[in-house]
Amino acid sequence: MASPTSDTPLCISGIYPHLALFNGPDEGECGIGAIVPWAGKLWAITYGPHFPHGSPDKLWAIDKDLRLEARPESVGGTPACRMVHRESSQLFIGPYAIHSSGAVRTIDITKLAGRQTAVARHLTDPANLVYYFDMEGAVYEVNVHSLSVTKLPFGNMAPGIHGKGAYTGQGRFIIANNGEAGEPVPGHEDDMGVLAEWNGAEWRIIERKQFTDVTGPGGINGAPRCNSPVWSIGWDRRSVILKLLDAGTWHTFRLPKGNRTYDHRGGWYTEWPRIREVTGGKFLMDMHALFYDFPGTFSAGNTAGITPIASHHRYIPDFCGWNGRLVLASDDTSIMQNPMAGRSQSNLWFGAWDDLASFGPRNGYGGVWVNDAVRAGIPSDPYLINGFDHRVIHLWHDAAAPVTFTIEADAAGSGAWRTHIEVAVPARGSSWHMLPESLRAQWVRVRAGRDCTAGAFLHCQSRRPRNEHERRIFDAIPDAGDACRTVAGIIRPGADKELQYVRQAAGEPGRYCELDEALAFSSPAGDRSDEVMRLAPVTRDFDIDDASVIMTASGRRFRLPKGHAAFDKPFAAGWPRGIRECESERYLANIHGTFYVIGRESGVPAIQPVATHNKQIMDYCTWRGLLVMSGTRPGARPDGHYFGDGACGLWFGQIDDVWKLGKPVGTGGPWRNTPVLAARPSDPYLMIGYDSKSLEVSHDAPHAVTFNVEVDVIGTGSDWLPYATLTV
């Protein structure tokens, strides 16, 4: 981290607080929709959620000295598109055309009326026209010289309600849509969103799934050759989907999901997964909370090289390389359904490619089949296993006779498939197979030996590389067992871009403070403590018993491991905060010494652990792109993460610093000296995200008791598979 000087602005964990971007005081979110290095500057656009006719959002320019400028040509809206038009030497970013000289022009948004999500090269006149695609599904032609706009008369050319990416390649204009309205149609529950193409004469649906980005080796510059491959990413209830168009044929591949916070029928929680060339010729892919090193050579004849880098909690609409650094955009603090924040805001993260490995572990989950009708001998889609240390596949079916599943592997990504193993699964039964470390392959696929309804689902995990000193950045926050009185309190991003802080040191009266972008504390004349406490009240959000932590959602109980015993009772300043939205539409949960991630839609049933801290963290939020935490040691001294005077201070970092607190650990279970009834299942107990697990079973009956251990490998709570039978 860099301390501020006359030449170097303040930087904490790659975040420059002065570069925080805000829009109007009432806009539900302030996502950074696109970032592009161009004309000697880094250009960025922000968006609010539903503004097809403009808004207070801006076109921003950042120069090499990190000076921020809001451009006077700004008209706002909900844009997230960008493309470099080679022939006219212009960057099209949102409704703006920026010449290589730096001159900015604005397209008339009364004619380009929509939430622009993609710009693509024109099929027949690429030197003079570009396509704009908007979230509502409309397509426009824009003249790159006059900026005149023509809306094309396509009507409802493809289903979907949430347009995303678009790209031109191999003689077709391809669009992605990741949302669907209304309730699922029986028999067509998987029909959500679309990947579709137009050849200049007619539209064709490629697949009815939720797709986001469409791109290729040329990225935002467009296809380098007429036969260059095209890539698109999406997802369904099974896993992430990667589509490849090569030599006119579409191919399908599947990859794990890092977590399920992005899943939603309407597609609202995916802002905006991308594949993009960044630094040193490397392509970065970000999808469902996992970063991948994506090979620019990915094609039908060479599918090798996709390698997971890390999981993350940051909500990332775009990324790029600039001046030798990797830059990640964000959709950070949102006020949508979130009164704990007073103003929507986001910021950029600056770092290096190698820094990404210090984010979360390379963990992912997904399958090729989830209760799908499969035909005997027909192979599944390929599923990525390259780059994960531990891979286990769960298999099940409903046939009245045993089924043999053949697992095949493609070692080199050349399409040469070899049988790895055959797994016999009993009638209406299940089994699992640990893929050995000796199986060094890019992809696996599965064949069933008979027609049936089947599942084939994988859990892939890797240990996160740890630096023995990385946890020291949290030294200002006392451990759970430390006897010191913490300087704690409630924090809230204020409506005037300030950070509000109500200090609640034990045995002392409360103190209201505010912080500015320089992280300087002040005591304003007006005490707004009551406002903070009313809008950001602390709730415990969990219960405990002798067995474990209990969380309740929709009338169902879920159990989590316990941390340090100090969390069984409140701190001197009260109970620490339980759940809080820190990235737009997803939550951090501070439960009994462990941080978890929870999706707004997927909720507690899909909760996943992030890190076990066992520290006296009282409150936390995001502000100016920084993660802020209260609960510090008295007398703490500034160290690049702690700012304050010892009597009143806070900890600052970035959201993915939390992984450095420690891997998820804990103890507990569904029962501990608990009266139970025969055959009645226990509450579900969390096991996903923990790198090692053990189970101890005991009872007080005077005779042997058989325990049936079941696992929910999908995470829906509807498909419990037998794992083991223990007689004690």
Side-chain angles (χ1 to χ4, degrees), residues 618-677:
M618 181 66 186
D619 200 6
Y620 54 96
C621 71
T622 48
W623 170 72
R624 290 186 171 269
L626 295 162
L627 175 66
V628 189
M629 295 194 287
S630 78
T632 55
R633 298 180 186 276
R637 301 177 65 84
D639 61 3
H641 288 279
Y642 173 83
F643 288 76
D645 60 8
C648 186
L650 295 166
W651 184 94
F652 296 84
Q654 65 110 346
I655 192 75
D656 284 297
D657 280 341
V658 295
W659 305 96
K660 300 175 183 177
L661 281 160
K663 71 176 185 177
V665 296
T667 59
W671 300 326
R672 184 179 182 186
N673 299 323
T674 305
V676 301
L677 297 176

Side-chain angles (χ1 to χ4, degrees), residues 571-584:
F571 298 156
W575 284 105
R577 185 177 303 283
I579 298 174
R580 187 165 196 169
E581 180 177 312
C582 287
E583 295 290 298
S584 181

Side-chain angles (χ1 to χ4, degrees), residues 54 374 405:
V374 301
F405 291 88

Side-chain angles (χ1 to χ4, degrees), residues 196-243:
E197 63 182 26
W198 182 55
N199 63 7
E202 61 182 2
W203 283 94
R204 184 169 77 96
I205 291 176
I206 306 305
E207 190 166 2
R208 284 282 274 129
K209 296 289 173 59
Q210 295 174 277
F211 287 93
T212 57
D213 196 24
V214 191
T215 188
I220 67 171
N221 296 291
R225 296 174 300 279
C226 62
N227 62 346
S228 295
V230 175
W231 312 315
S232 181
I233 47 177
W235 83 95
D236 63 10
R237 60 188 173 88
R238 301 163 188 83
S239 49
V240 165
I241 301 170
L242 169 62
K243 300 290 282 191

Side-chain angles (χ1 to χ4, degrees), residues 2-10 16 18 63-67:
S3 300
T5 68
S6 58
D7 300 318
T8 306
L10 175 65
Y16 293 91
H18 78 284
D63 68 14
K64 62 181 179 61
D65 296 317
L66 299 180
R67 290 177 296 215

Side-chain angles (χ1 to χ4, degrees), residues 277-365:
E277 185 176 359
V278 285
T279 60
K282 285 181 172 290
F283 285 77
L284 180 65
M285 171 176 159
D286 175 35
M287 187 64 179
H288 264 65
L290 273 173
F291 289 129
Y292 293 89
D293 184 343
F294 190 91
T297 55
F298 188 79
S299 59
N302 182 10
T303 64
I306 300 178
T307 306
I309 300 171
S311 53
H312 61 85
H313 188 61
R314 180 172 297 277
Y315 198 16
I316 302 170
D318 202 5
F319 45 84
C320 70
W322 183 54
N323 287 347
R325 293 202 280 181
L326 176 65
V327 186
L328 306 179
S330 293
D331 188 352
D332 290 320
T333 308
S334 162
I335 64 173
M336 288 189 296
Q337 304 177 39
N338 181 26
M340 291 189 193
R343 185 79 173 259
S344 296
Q345 55 198 275
S346 292
N347 207 334
L348 303 167
W349 174 87
F350 293 80
W353 176 278
D354 290 344
D355 292 336
L356 298 180
S358 70
F359 287 27
R362 291 168 285 126
N363 292 350
Y365 317 91

Side-chain angles (χ1 to χ4, degrees), residues 207 211 230-235 239-246 249-256 285 294 298-304 306 367-368 380-384 410 413 415 417 442-444:
E207 190 166 2
F211 287 93
V230 175
W231 312 315
S232 181
I233 47 177
W235 83 95
S239 49
V240 165
I241 301 170
L242 169 62
K243 300 290 282 191
L244 164 68
L245 176 65
D246 198 351
T249 299
W250 285 99
H251 307 265
T252 304
F253 303 83
R254 289 184 174 270
L255 298 85
M285 171 176 159
F294 190 91
F298 188 79
S299 59
N302 182 10
T303 64
I306 300 178
V368 293
S380 71
D381 296 329
Y383 187 93
L384 184 76
D410 178 358
W417 293 92
Q442 303 292 316
W443 308 92
V444 294

Side-chain angles (χ1 to χ4, degrees), residues 27 75 135 150-152 171 225 242 281 293 310 399 414-415 442 506 525 595 606 646 686 703 706 715:
E27 292 194 45
V75 293
M135 197 173 291
T150 302
K151 185 175 182 179
L152 298 182
R225 296 174 300 279
L242 169 62
D293 184 343
S414 62
Q442 303 292 316
F595 276 125
L686 187 70
H703 50 75
T706 297

